[in-house]
Amino acid sequence: TKSFEAVGAMSAKKVIKGVVFDMDGTLTQSAKLDFVEMRRRCGCETPDILGEVDSWPEERRTKAYEIIGEMEREALKTTTLMAGASAVAETLDAIGIPRALVTRNARSSVDVFHSSIWSLTPFEPALSREFKPYKPAPDALLHICKLWGCEPGEVIMVGDSAKDDVVSGNRAGAITVLLDSGRTKAWKEDFGVDELPEEMVPHFVCDNMHDFVTLLKSEMHFNFQIPPNKIVDAA
């Protein structure tokens, strides 16, 4: 059985100089972060909770972010490391390829992740929703590419959301990998379409992080090179 599937067109083997990860549902898993309930409590009418909340007047926006923050802090109590996440990081670290994190979660949640959940060298840089515009905008990814001194096409964006992670990666011009969490293939139910819009189509779909390790090690699709501006651990 194939553990990963090539979906989007990729003309040739790609040089890869870095990998950027989403956090929730990619590096971590939590049974309690209920986005349907979050939308209900905030009073959102669209699936894009942050985008809609940021368009509201200050008083209403502040109250909504208090609800979001409360639910995120509660979810952190049950958040655990995603199976295979450490193996992916160890694979990249062994060949000197930098890894970064981009999330729509808060900076405080990223700090808890690094201090209480993640045991290896931290992701650097780690950009939370305080870096704007956040996903699906490509700005965070492009910022990381600039820091690393590489082109967007030399970076892999990995995440479990077609509408946020894959779109931001595709808009930046990166190689995109969608982790199928059991819901991402239900495109008709999730997005009301028979097929994903082109912007949401990843280059690869992996069932889980272990399968992403297999993809990285397959030697069929990528040549890895250390970027010129790799951030070296000061320790």
Side-chain angles (χ1 to χ4, degrees):
T1 304
K2 289 175 64 177
S3 58
F4 61 86
E5 179 182 358
V7 181
M10 207 169 73
S11 58
K13 202 170 181 179
K14 295 289 186 180
V15 170
I16 296 298
K17 298 181 179 180
V19 181
V20 180
F21 295 84
D22 169 52
M23 188 172 76
D24 300 298
T26 301
L27 295 172
T28 66
Q29 55 187 352
S30 172
K32 285 197 172 182
L33 194 53
D34 185 340
F35 290 107
V36 173
E37 176 64 8
M38 185 181 289
R39 283 196 292 271
R40 187 195 67 78
R41 289 184 59 186
C42 291
C44 291
E45 298 179 356
T46 68
D48 185 1
I49 298 172
L50 296 182
E52 182 174 346
V53 167
D54 279 344
S55 71
W56 291 348
E58 183 177 357
E59 184 177 354
R60 187 184 180 193
R61 183 172 68 247
T62 300
K63 289 181 179 178
Y65 268 114
E66 288 174 356
I67 293 170
I68 293 169
E70 175 191 332
M71 293 187 69
E72 288 173 340
R73 287 189 295 273
E74 187 63 28
L76 279 172
K77 296 177 182 178
T78 61
T79 295
T80 57
L81 191 64
M82 182 68 74
S86 293
V88 171
E90 288 166 352
T91 298
L92 296 172
D93 292 352
I95 55 178
I97 297 300
R99 45 183 169 80
L101 183 158
V102 175
T103 178
R104 286 163 60 99
N105 209 321
R107 178 77 235 176
S108 57
S109 295
V110 175
D111 291 342
V112 170
F113 165 72
H114 274 141
S115 64
S116 303
I117 300 171
W118 188 249
S119 61
L120 302 177
T121 305
F123 291 82
E124 181 64 41
L127 303 180
S128 58
R129 64 167 171 256
E130 287 81 1
F131 184 100
K132 295 183 178 179
Y134 39 69
K135 298 180 295 187
D139 298 61
L141 255 174
L142 295 173
H143 175 73
I144 291 167
C145 291
K146 187 175 181 180
L147 290 177
W148 285 345
C150 62
E151 297 299 319
E154 297 172 328
V155 168
I156 300 173
M157 175 69 212
V158 187
D160 69 318
S161 171
K163 68 181 181 64
D164 291 325
D165 303 317
V166 174
V167 170
S168 70
N170 284 341
R171 287 178 179 176
I175 304 303
T176 49
V177 175
L178 178 65
L179 294 184
D180 182 8
S181 60
R183 61 173 174 79
T184 49
K185 286 182 178 175
W187 297 334
K188 188 169 185 178
E189 292 83 355
D190 282 0
F191 306 112
V193 294
D194 291 322
E195 294 183 358
L196 281 181
E198 184 176 356
E199 205 173 30
M200 294 185 187
V201 176
H203 293 90
F204 298 93
V205 174
C206 293
D207 285 343
N208 51 54
M209 290 292 262
H210 291 296
D211 292 343
F212 182 48
V213 173
T214 302
L215 172 61
L216 292 175
K217 292 182 174 180
S218 68
E219 299 184 355
M220 295 170 53
H221 303 285
F222 309 125
N223 284 319
F224 292 99
Q225 294 181 14
I226 299 174
N229 299 339
K230 181 186 176 184
I231 299 172
V232 178
D233 184 7

